Amino acid sequence: MAKTATRLKAPAQVYVPQTKDDAAADIRKIGDLQRVLLRSTTEMNDAIAAITHNFQPRLDALNEQLKMLQDGVQGYCEAHRSELTNGGRVKTANLITGEVQWRKRPASVSVRGVDDVIETLKRLGFSKFVRTKEEINKDAILNEPDEVRGVAGIKVVTDVEDFVITPFEREVVA
């Protein structure tokens, strides 16, 4: 049995302009394509807005109906909770076409005015309720990169250069 040759895969070569005039023409094409893309995106967003506007009254009516039915079912279930939950032994009731459940949410804490609350907790001697977070001071490292050179896990990246193409455009004033 003959062995077939192993195929080598490589990404296809990208297009590269061959002259300065080709590069200038390509920049113009980039600008043209960006404008077509912007117009197409705007056209799509206009269509989405029109569709949303057309469907909104129907969606509002359906949501209103849903809320009314949900409130009604909840009212019935709350009035008959003991019967539906076997005197509180279960949290779920099967009503043939679906089920209803009573679930307790986990405890949560809400804090308004975080800085003032932290200050008050510390003043009252409740520092155990204040978390102190340690983190790397990247600004200090960027200011003194030589001091951390050789520290495992730290890499200071400098002098990265990006290539940017900006086609010339004239602003349209409406």
Side-chain angles (χ1 to χ4, degrees):
M1 183 177 228
K3 185 175 180 184
T4 57
T6 304
R7 290 186 344 184
L8 298 175
K9 291 183 181 180
Q13 184 62 32
V14 297
Y15 164 78
V16 176
Q18 299 301 306
T19 67
K20 186 176 181 181
D21 288 341
D22 289 347
D26 288 351
I27 290 173
R28 178 174 176 244
K29 287 178 191 174
I30 289 170
D32 293 344
L33 288 172
Q34 287 175 337
R35 286 186 296 281
V36 169
L37 180 63
L38 178 62
R39 282 192 296 271
S40 297
T41 302
T42 302
E43 188 178 327
M44 176 189 71
N45 287 334
D46 289 346
I48 289 171
I51 289 168
T52 301
H53 178 75
N54 290 336
F55 275 86
Q56 198 59 54
R58 188 181 337 167
L59 295 175
D60 290 343
L62 289 169
N63 279 324
E64 206 172 292
Q65 252 186 314
L66 273 171
K67 174 118 177 69
M68 180 192 69
L69 291 170
Q70 288 169 340
D71 290 347
V73 169
Q74 183 176 0
Y76 169 82
C77 291
E78 293 296 343
H80 296 88
R81 185 172 182 163
S82 182
E83 169 192 336
L84 293 170
T85 62
N86 253 347
R89 288 195 283 275
V90 295
K91 295 180 180 182
T92 301
N94 186 325
L95 300 176
I96 309 298
T97 58
E99 60 182 29
V100 294
Q101 302 175 348
W102 285 267
R103 294 285 183 254
K104 285 199 183 271
R105 291 185 187 176
S108 65
V109 175
S110 173
V111 178
R112 287 188 186 88
V114 174
D115 293 337
D116 292 337
V117 172
I118 289 173
E119 182 182 312
T120 302
L121 286 171
K122 286 180 178 179
R123 190 170 22 85
L124 295 173
F126 293 136
S127 294
K128 66 182 179 181
F129 298 119
V130 178
R131 180 180 296 144
T132 303
K133 181 180 176 183
E134 285 190 21
E135 57 186 21
I136 305 297
N137 185 344
K138 293 180 181 179
D139 293 326
I141 291 173
L142 287 173
N143 289 335
E144 302 178 52
D146 293 334
E147 289 200 34
V148 295
R149 192 174 317 279
V151 174
I154 296 179
K155 178 180 176 185
V156 178
V157 180
T158 59
D159 298 327
V160 174
E161 184 178 68
D162 291 322
F163 179 74
V164 179
I165 299 173
T166 308
F168 293 123
E169 300 239 343
R170 207 178 124 208
E171 288 290 321
V172 177
V173 179

